[in-house]
Amino acid sequence: LVNAGKYSTTFFVVTFAALYNTHKEHNHSDAQVFFYLWIVFSVISSFYTLIWDLKMDWGLFDKNAGENTFLREEIVYPQKAYYYCAIIEDVILRFAWTVQISLTSMNVFNSASDVISTVFAPLEVFRRFVWNFFRLENEHLNNCGEFRAVRDISVAPLNADDLTLLEQMMDQEDGVKNRQKTKPWKRSQSITLRRTYISSQLKGRDTKVLIDDTDDEAFT
């Protein structure tokens, strides 16, 4: 419902813009009322979609970002400047309509609206192009954190003890989170997995040695 509210604000923007243009052409006295309503809902829609882009779609401005100020705890792209530039770009292009309305209202020249629309249309395509990269990155990190996907694939086979431990971790409330870099429980789980793996290997070796010794005694 919250996501649907983001799109519903656009309906009001389109509605009041159409009413304003219609009443303006017929020189109705209430045209200015629809103009102000158009501006108000345009501002609401822009702030709504901007916050949704940065916070929900990109996962930025995380309170646990640590060294990645205003970003998130884990980032994929090597330079933080990519994220900061993307934030600035998204803010500017989300409010680019203010320039269009200002120039159109001042009647700088007759075809101002058409020229501005022609310029801003490719910019909107570019904004959506950039949005895709950070949206997919955030979704992939969330999938890794929820064990729906992995960033690294281990070639070592899992034994029964490892599978049991992983099932226990997945049953825990926060056992499947994989977003923190320095969590003590992660270290303990990693150490437990290593100890389990080493102990299983040692048990296998001891069993093999015992079988070999038994075979030697049988031959002698």
Coordinates of all heavy atoms in Angstrom, one line a residue, residues 143-179:
N143 N 19.2 -10.4 -1.2 CA 19.1 -11.8 -1.4 C 20.2 -12.6 -0.8 O 20.0 -13.7 -0.3 CB 19.1 -12.1 -2.9 CG 17.8 -11.6 -3.6 OD1 16.7 -11.5 -2.9 ND2 17.8 -11.3 -4.9
C144 N 21.4 -12.0 -0.8 CA 22.6 -12.7 -0.2 C 22.3 -12.7 1.3 O 22.6 -13.7 2.0 CB 23.9 -12.0 -0.5 SG 24.4 -12.1 -2.2
G145 N 21.8 -11.6 1.9 CA 21.6 -11.6 3.3 C 20.5 -12.5 3.8 O 20.6 -13.0 4.9
E146 N 19.6 -12.8 2.9 CA 18.5 -13.7 3.3 C 18.7 -15.1 2.8 O 17.8 -16.0 2.8 CB 17.2 -13.2 2.7 CG 16.8 -11.8 3.2 CD 16.4 -11.9 4.7 OE1 16.1 -13.0 5.2 OE2 16.4 -10.8 5.3
F147 N 19.9 -15.4 2.3 CA 20.3 -16.7 1.8 C 19.5 -17.1 0.6 O 19.4 -18.3 0.3 CB 20.2 -17.8 2.9 CG 21.3 -17.9 3.8 CD1 22.3 -16.9 3.8 CD2 21.4 -18.9 4.8 CE1 23.4 -16.9 4.7 CE2 22.5 -18.9 5.7 CZ 23.5 -17.9 5.6
R148 N 18.9 -16.2 -0.1 CA 18.3 -16.5 -1.4 C 19.2 -16.5 -2.5 O 18.9 -17.0 -3.6 CB 17.2 -15.4 -1.7 CG 16.0 -15.5 -0.7 CD 14.9 -14.6 -1.2 NE 15.2 -13.2 -1.3 CZ 14.9 -12.3 -0.3 NH1 14.2 -12.7 0.7 NH2 15.2 -11.1 -0.5
A149 N 20.4 -15.9 -2.3 CA 21.5 -15.9 -3.3 C 22.8 -15.9 -2.5 O 22.9 -15.5 -1.4 CB 21.4 -14.8 -4.3
V150 N 23.9 -16.2 -3.2 CA 25.2 -16.2 -2.6 C 26.2 -15.4 -3.5 O 26.1 -15.4 -4.7 CB 25.8 -17.6 -2.3 CG1 25.0 -18.3 -1.3 CG2 25.8 -18.4 -3.6
R151 N 27.1 -14.7 -2.8 CA 28.1 -14.0 -3.6 C 29.3 -14.9 -3.9 O 29.9 -14.7 -4.9 CB 28.6 -12.7 -2.8 CG 27.5 -11.7 -2.5 CD 28.1 -10.5 -1.8 NE 29.0 -9.8 -2.6 CZ 29.7 -8.7 -2.2 NH1 29.5 -8.2 -1.0 NH2 30.6 -8.1 -3.0
D152 N 29.6 -15.8 -3.0 CA 30.7 -16.7 -3.2 C 30.2 -18.1 -3.2 O 29.4 -18.5 -2.3 CB 31.8 -16.5 -2.1 CG 32.3 -15.1 -2.2 OD1 32.6 -14.6 -3.2 OD2 32.4 -14.5 -1.1
I153 N 30.6 -19.0 -4.1 CA 30.2 -20.4 -4.1 C 31.3 -21.2 -3.7 O 32.4 -21.2 -4.3 CB 29.8 -20.8 -5.6 CG1 28.6 -19.9 -6.0 CG2 29.4 -22.2 -5.6 CD1 28.2 -20.1 -7.4
S154 N 31.1 -22.0 -2.6 CA 32.2 -22.9 -2.1 C 32.1 -24.2 -2.9 O 31.1 -24.8 -3.1 CB 31.9 -23.2 -0.6 OG 32.8 -24.1 -0.1
V155 N 33.4 -24.7 -3.2 CA 33.5 -26.0 -3.9 C 33.6 -27.1 -3.0 O 33.5 -28.3 -3.4 CB 34.7 -25.9 -4.9 CG1 34.5 -24.9 -6.0 CG2 36.0 -25.7 -4.2
A156 N 33.8 -26.9 -1.7 CA 33.9 -27.9 -0.7 C 32.6 -28.5 -0.4 O 31.6 -27.8 -0.2 CB 34.6 -27.4 0.6
P157 N 32.4 -29.9 -0.4 CA 31.1 -30.5 -0.1 C 30.7 -30.3 1.3 O 31.6 -30.2 2.2 CB 31.4 -31.9 -0.4 CG 32.8 -32.1 -0.2 CD 33.5 -30.8 -0.6
L158 N 29.4 -30.2 1.6 CA 28.9 -30.0 2.9 C 28.6 -31.4 3.5 O 28.0 -32.2 2.8 CB 27.6 -29.2 2.9 CG 27.8 -27.7 2.6 CD1 26.4 -27.0 2.5 CD2 28.7 -27.0 3.6
N159 N 29.0 -31.6 4.7 CA 28.6 -32.9 5.4 C 27.4 -32.7 6.2 O 26.8 -31.6 6.3 CB 29.8 -33.4 6.3 CG 30.2 -32.3 7.3 OD1 29.4 -31.6 7.8 ND2 31.5 -32.3 7.6
A160 N 26.9 -33.8 6.9 CA 25.7 -33.7 7.6 C 25.7 -32.7 8.8 O 24.7 -32.1 9.1 CB 25.4 -35.1 8.1
D161 N 26.9 -32.6 9.4 CA 27.0 -31.7 10.5 C 26.8 -30.2 10.1 O 26.2 -29.4 10.7 CB 28.3 -31.9 11.3 CG 28.4 -33.2 11.9 OD1 27.4 -33.8 12.3 OD2 29.6 -33.7 12.1
D162 N 27.4 -29.9 8.9 CA 27.3 -28.6 8.4 C 25.9 -28.2 8.0 O 25.4 -27.1 8.3 CB 28.2 -28.4 7.1 CG 29.7 -28.5 7.5 OD1 30.0 -28.2 8.7 OD2 30.5 -28.8 6.6
L163 N 25.2 -29.2 7.4 CA 23.8 -29.0 7.0 C 22.9 -28.7 8.2 O 22.0 -27.9 8.3 CB 23.3 -30.1 6.2 CG 23.9 -30.3 4.8 CD1 23.3 -31.6 4.2 CD2 23.5 -29.1 3.9
T164 N 23.2 -29.5 9.3 CA 22.4 -29.3 10.5 C 22.6 -28.0 11.1 O 21.7 -27.3 11.6 CB 22.8 -30.4 11.6 OG1 22.6 -31.7 11.0 CG2 22.0 -30.3 12.8
L165 N 23.9 -27.5 11.1 CA 24.2 -26.2 11.7 C 23.5 -25.1 10.9 O 23.0 -24.1 11.4 CB 25.7 -26.0 11.7 CG 26.2 -24.7 12.3 CD1 25.7 -24.5 13.7 CD2 27.7 -24.6 12.3
L166 N 23.6 -25.2 9.5 CA 22.9 -24.2 8.7 C 21.4 -24.2 8.9 O 20.8 -23.1 8.9 CB 23.2 -24.5 7.2 CG 24.7 -24.2 6.7 CD1 24.9 -24.7 5.3 CD2 25.0 -22.8 6.9
E167 N 20.8 -25.3 9.1 CA 19.4 -25.3 9.4 C 19.1 -24.7 10.7 O 18.1 -23.9 10.8 CB 18.9 -26.8 9.4 CG 18.9 -27.4 8.0 CD 18.4 -28.9 8.1 OE1 18.2 -29.4 9.2 OE2 18.3 -29.5 7.0
Q168 N 19.9 -24.9 11.7 CA 19.7 -24.2 13.0 C 19.9 -22.7 12.8 O 19.1 -21.9 13.4 CB 20.7 -24.7 14.0 CG 20.5 -26.2 14.4 CD 21.6 -26.7 15.3 OE1 22.5 -26.0 15.6 NE2 21.4 -27.9 15.8
M169 N 20.9 -22.2 12.0 CA 21.0 -20.8 11.8 C 19.8 -20.2 11.1 O 19.4 -19.1 11.4 CB 22.3 -20.6 11.0 CG 23.6 -20.9 11.7 SD 25.0 -20.8 10.6 CE 24.9 -19.1 10.0
M170 N 19.3 -20.9 10.1 CA 18.1 -20.4 9.4 C 16.9 -20.3 10.3 O 16.0 -19.5 10.0 CB 17.9 -21.2 8.2 CG 19.0 -21.2 7.1 SD 18.7 -22.2 5.7 CE 17.3 -21.4 4.9
D171 N 16.8 -21.2 11.3 CA 15.7 -21.1 12.2 C 15.7 -20.0 13.2 O 14.7 -19.6 13.8 CB 15.6 -22.4 13.0 CG 15.2 -23.6 12.1 OD1 14.6 -23.4 11.1 OD2 15.5 -24.8 12.5
Q172 N 16.9 -19.4 13.4 CA 17.1 -18.3 14.3 C 16.5 -17.0 13.6 O 16.4 -16.9 12.4 CB 18.6 -18.0 14.6 CG 19.2 -19.2 15.3 CD 20.7 -19.0 15.6 OE1 21.2 -17.9 15.2 NE2 21.4 -20.0 16.1
E173 N 16.1 -16.1 14.5 CA 15.4 -14.9 14.0 C 16.4 -14.0 13.1 O 16.0 -13.5 12.1 CB 14.9 -14.0 15.1 CG 14.2 -12.8 14.7 CD 13.7 -12.0 15.9 OE1 13.8 -12.5 17.0 OE2 13.1 -10.9 15.7
D174 N 17.6 -13.9 13.6 CA 18.6 -13.1 12.8 C 19.7 -14.0 12.3 O 20.8 -13.5 12.0 CB 19.2 -12.0 13.7 CG 18.2 -11.0 14.1 OD1 17.3 -10.8 13.3 OD2 18.3 -10.4 15.2
G175 N 19.5 -15.3 12.2 CA 20.5 -16.2 11.9 C 20.9 -16.2 10.4 O 22.0 -16.7 10.0
V176 N 20.0 -15.7 9.6 CA 20.3 -15.7 8.1 C 20.7 -14.3 7.6 O 20.9 -14.2 6.4 CB 19.1 -16.2 7.3 CG1 18.7 -17.6 7.7 CG2 17.9 -15.3 7.6
K177 N 20.9 -13.4 8.5 CA 21.4 -12.1 8.0 C 22.9 -12.1 7.7 O 23.6 -12.7 8.4 CB 21.1 -11.0 9.1 CG 19.7 -10.8 9.5 CD 18.9 -10.3 8.3 CE 17.4 -10.0 8.6 NZ 16.6 -9.5 7.5
N178 N 23.2 -11.5 6.6 CA 24.6 -11.5 6.2 C 25.1 -10.2 5.7 O 25.7 -10.0 4.7 CB 24.8 -12.6 5.1 CG 26.3 -12.9 4.8 OD1 27.1 -12.6 5.6 ND2 26.6 -13.3 3.6
R179 N 24.7 -9.1 6.4 CA 25.0 -7.8 6.0 C 26.1 -7.1 6.8 O 26.7 -6.2 6.4 CB 23.7 -6.9 6.1 CG 22.6 -7.4 5.2 CD 23.0 -7.2 3.7 NE 23.2 -5.9 3.4 CZ 22.3 -5.0 3.0 NH1 21.0 -5.4 3.0 NH2 22.6 -3.8 2.7

